[in-house]
């Protein structure tokens, strides 16, 4: 029989609502076991959870799947209430699982990989949704010009981003992406749409 993993060996930590417990793309050195409280996970921008993908209630493991799959956390995790957790070093958790039968280890590994793939897909869909909204907004504000369809930005990027429900950084990133794809041209407040049909396809995605 494998030795039991005793969580009492690890000191409890606590934080209030709003605390950032995990940040996307950061390597994991330990795994968080949430003993009490509620944690939201999704995509945070400018200190706000812009895209909520789900909520976890303690007691539960918050990020065991990416840690066991040797991947960074794909989502941001923010405390919704006061929380208490214990941090277990990744190496120690993996060492504990190595005591399990090979079949059980394989099952856990498969579940961890599956969770990570689903989380990455959810985050990518959020990003794609932002692209579609930006494309739709550009088309709605386009007017005929001597070089095709023209968009004159009468508002600041911050105001446009707020209207679209995304962070200004996300809007800037999407506009750069559209430029790189040849779907957007121009400088300052005067923009051109060289390929409106391709942009319409993005808006429908």
């Amino acid at each position: 029989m494998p030795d039991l993993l005793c969580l009492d060996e690890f000191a409890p930590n606590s934080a209030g609502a709003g605390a950032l417990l995990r940040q996307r793309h950061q390597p994991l050195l330990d795994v968080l076991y949430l003993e009490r409280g509620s944690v939201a996970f999704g995509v945070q921008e400018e200190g706000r959870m812009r895209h909520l993908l789900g909520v976890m209630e303690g007691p539960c493991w918050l990020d065991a799947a990416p840690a066991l799959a040797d991947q960074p956390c794909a989502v941001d995790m923010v405390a919704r209430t006061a929380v208490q957790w214990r941090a277990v070093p990744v190496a120690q958790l993996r060492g504990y699982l190595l005591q399990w039968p090979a079949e059980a280890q394989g099952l856990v590994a498969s579940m961890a990989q599956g969770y990570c793939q689903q989380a990455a897909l959810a985050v990518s869909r959020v990003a794609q949704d932002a692209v579609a909204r930006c494309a739709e907004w550009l088309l709605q504000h386009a007017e005929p010009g001597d070089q095709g369809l023209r968009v004159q930005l009468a508002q600041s990027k911050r105001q446009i981003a707020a209207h679209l429900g995304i962070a200004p950084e996300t809007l800037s990133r999407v506009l750069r992406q559209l430029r790189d794809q040849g779907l957007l041209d121009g400088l300052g407040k005067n923009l051109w749409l060289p390929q409106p049909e391709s942009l319409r396809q993005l808006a429908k995605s």
Side-chain angles (χ1 to χ4, degrees):
M1 290 289 293
D3 296 331
L4 294 177
L5 180 66
C6 182
L7 291 172
D8 291 339
E9 298 177 6
F10 309 98
N13 301 276
S14 60
L20 179 62
L21 302 184
R22 279 292 185 243
Q23 188 171 11
R24 285 180 297 150
H25 311 313
Q26 295 298 311
L28 297 176
L29 300 178
D30 50 32
V31 186
L32 304 185
Y33 181 79
L34 181 67
E35 293 187 315
R36 292 198 301 271
S38 175
V39 172
F41 61 94
V43 177
Q44 180 169 259
E45 295 172 338
E46 286 197 321
R48 292 179 56 193
M49 186 63 77
R50 292 283 186 177
H51 304 284
L52 178 65
L53 297 177
V55 175
M56 290 181 281
E57 305 281 348
C60 66
W61 291 97
L62 290 179
D63 49 5
L68 294 175
D70 196 22
Q71 297 184 23
C73 195
V75 296
D76 297 310
M77 295 186 178
V78 179
R80 298 180 72 218
T81 65
V83 293
Q84 179 175 304
W85 74 92
R86 296 177 191 260
V88 179
V90 172
Q92 196 158 341
L93 182 61
R94 289 176 179 166
Y96 164 69
L97 291 177
L98 286 176
Q99 302 177 65
W100 289 22
E103 294 80 2
Q105 292 183 45
L107 175 61
V108 170
S110 296
M111 293 175 64
Q113 289 288 348
Y115 171 88
C116 292
Q117 290 172 0
Q118 291 178 358
L121 179 60
V123 171
S124 68
R125 284 179 174 170
V126 164
Q128 182 60 36
D129 181 50
V131 173
R133 277 181 280 169
C134 288
E136 183 179 14
W137 187 91
L138 288 169
L139 290 166
Q140 288 175 346
H141 291 78
E143 298 178 350
D146 56 3
Q147 299 181 40
L149 292 180
R150 184 187 68 171
V151 177
Q152 188 168 15
L153 302 182
Q155 298 175 304
S156 68
K157 286 186 178 180
R158 183 172 295 276
Q159 290 173 316
I160 296 171
H163 174 76
L164 295 174
I166 59 178
E169 292 80 2
T170 302
L171 175 61
S172 296
R173 184 172 64 249
V174 170
L175 293 179
R176 285 196 301 270
Q177 179 180 333
L178 294 177
R179 287 181 187 276
D180 292 341
Q181 294 175 349
L183 304 181
L184 188 64
D185 200 0
L187 297 172
K189 293 185 176 294
N190 293 305
L191 303 177
W192 298 93
L193 310 181
Q195 302 181 50
E197 285 304 320
S198 297
L199 206 58
R200 288 189 183 95
Q201 293 300 317
L202 277 182
K204 294 177 182 178
S205 61

